[in-house]
Amino acid sequence: MRMRLEFTTEPFDLAEPPAHALTAREVLRDAESGGALAAVEVGPFGNTAEGERDAVVAAVGELLRRTTEAGATRISLQVSVVDGAER
């Protein structure tokens, strides 16, 4: 089953990316370079990635741990099944 992850971290800082935003990018890029996630897009107002269910679930766990340690006070996320949904 393939899933798509979309998320943002807060608080926002338009002057420069806060530590939690940089950490979130690092988590995604590490997972992408390891082959676990694909279609990774990072931006100032949201981030997305796709992967197999277990990879996305692992990335969410890592994301929550590391971004809160880096100062995030809110992480808004959405996970959608993009194909292979069990019926």
Side-chain angles (χ1 to χ4, degrees):
M1 177 183 306
R2 192 158 184 83
M3 303 179 103
R4 179 177 178 83
L5 166 65
E6 302 173 66
F7 72 93
T8 59
T9 60
E10 296 179 39
F12 294 113
D13 183 344
L14 297 178
E16 65 180 72
H20 59 80
L22 297 174
T23 299
R25 291 177 188 173
E26 184 179 297
V27 169
L28 287 185
R29 293 202 167 126
D30 287 351
E32 181 182 37
S33 68
L37 295 179
V40 171
E41 295 181 28
V42 295
F45 301 109
N47 306 283
T48 61
E50 290 186 12
E52 293 302 314
R53 179 184 56 204
D54 291 344
V56 171
V57 169
V60 167
E62 186 72 5
L63 190 71
L64 294 174
R65 276 189 292 280
R66 292 185 50 198
T67 58
T68 54
E69 289 171 357
T73 57
R74 177 189 296 246
I75 299 101
S76 301
L77 64 92
Q78 178 173 308
V79 178
S80 305
V81 174
V82 293
D83 71 20
E86 297 175 19
R87 299 190 198 281

